């Protein structure tokens, strides 16, 4: 009797563990999809609902400026966009990568999205590195400087 009870308890624990992992993945996929769909359709404010603070302070600020720069006519020609999850990879308890395929009326592309779990919630962590220093021009002795053509 004790063996049967132990076996049933182990099977129940395994089922609970597998269901919990599947639920975790579904939550990450849903948040990632919502972020990617909003960004693909130039809905930056909507994307912010699914983004980490770092993403809001880097990528989304840049995206707002880019949307203004390309203009409404280009945005209309590039929407609506369709987004499809191609691959999901769980790296650890708080990090996952989702790969997407984006299709718009004028282009197709693939892109990865890093997901981070913060305070129990999955968030898109799509940051653009911010340059900390001014770029340096090569000096005249470097090979790059010698290879550049000079038109006089």
């Amino acid at each position: 009797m004790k063996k049967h009870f132990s076996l049933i308890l182990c099977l129940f624990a395994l089922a609970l563990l597998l269901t919990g992992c599947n639920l975790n993945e579904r939550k990450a996929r849903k948040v990632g999809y919502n972020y990617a769909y909003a960004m693909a359709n130039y809905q930056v404010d909507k994307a912010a609902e699914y983004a980490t603070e770092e993403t809001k302070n880097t990528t989304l600020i840049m995206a707002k400026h880019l949307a203004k720069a390309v203009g409404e006519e280009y945005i209309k020609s590039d929407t609506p966009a369709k987004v499809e999850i191609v691959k999901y990879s769980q790296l650890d308890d708080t990090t996952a990568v989702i790969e997407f395929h984006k299709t718009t009326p004028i282009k197709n592309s693939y892109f990865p999205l890093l997901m981070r779990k913060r305070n129990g919630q999955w968030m898109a962590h799509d940051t653009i590195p911010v340059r900390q220093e001014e770029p340096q021009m090569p000096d005249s002795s470097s090979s790059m400087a010698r290879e550049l053509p000079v038109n006089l």
Side-chain angles (χ1 to χ4, degrees), residues 1-9:
M1 182 72 173
K2 286 185 177 183
K3 283 186 177 183
H4 293 302
F5 181 73
S6 296
L7 181 62
I8 291 170
L9 186 61

Side-chain angles (χ1 to χ4, degrees), residues 11-124:
L11 289 174
F12 179 74
L14 180 63
L16 188 62
L17 179 67
L18 292 175
T19 304
C21 292
N22 193 4
L23 180 63
N24 191 45
E25 180 179 332
R26 282 197 314 253
K27 287 181 178 180
R29 282 176 175 260
K30 182 178 180 181
V31 170
Y33 177 85
N34 289 340
Y35 174 85
Y37 181 84
M39 288 296 284
N41 285 286
Y42 299 87
Q43 300 167 351
V44 179
D45 291 332
K46 183 73 173 167
E49 296 174 20
Y50 307 104
T52 62
E53 287 302 314
E54 297 91 341
T55 301
K56 291 176 188 177
N57 294 326
T58 58
T59 306
L60 298 185
I61 289 172
M62 175 99 45
K64 284 183 181 183
H65 291 295
L66 284 172
K68 286 179 186 174
V70 297
E72 205 166 303
E73 189 173 315
Y74 178 82
I75 291 172
K76 284 180 184 178
S77 72
D78 197 34
T79 53
K82 294 179 184 176
V83 177
E84 177 186 0
I85 295 175
V86 177
K87 184 178 176 185
Y88 175 87
S89 302
Q90 183 86 33
L91 303 180
D92 59 38
D93 291 344
T94 61
T95 309
V97 175
I98 304 174
E99 294 178 35
F100 290 94
H101 177 241
K102 178 176 88 169
T103 306
T104 72
I106 60 176
K107 64 184 173 220
N108 291 311
S109 60
Y110 288 89
F111 63 94
L113 176 62
L114 183 64
M115 301 294 295
R116 293 282 170 88
K117 199 171 196 180
R118 301 277 172 87
N119 299 320
Q121 300 293 317
W122 283 103
M123 308 294 284

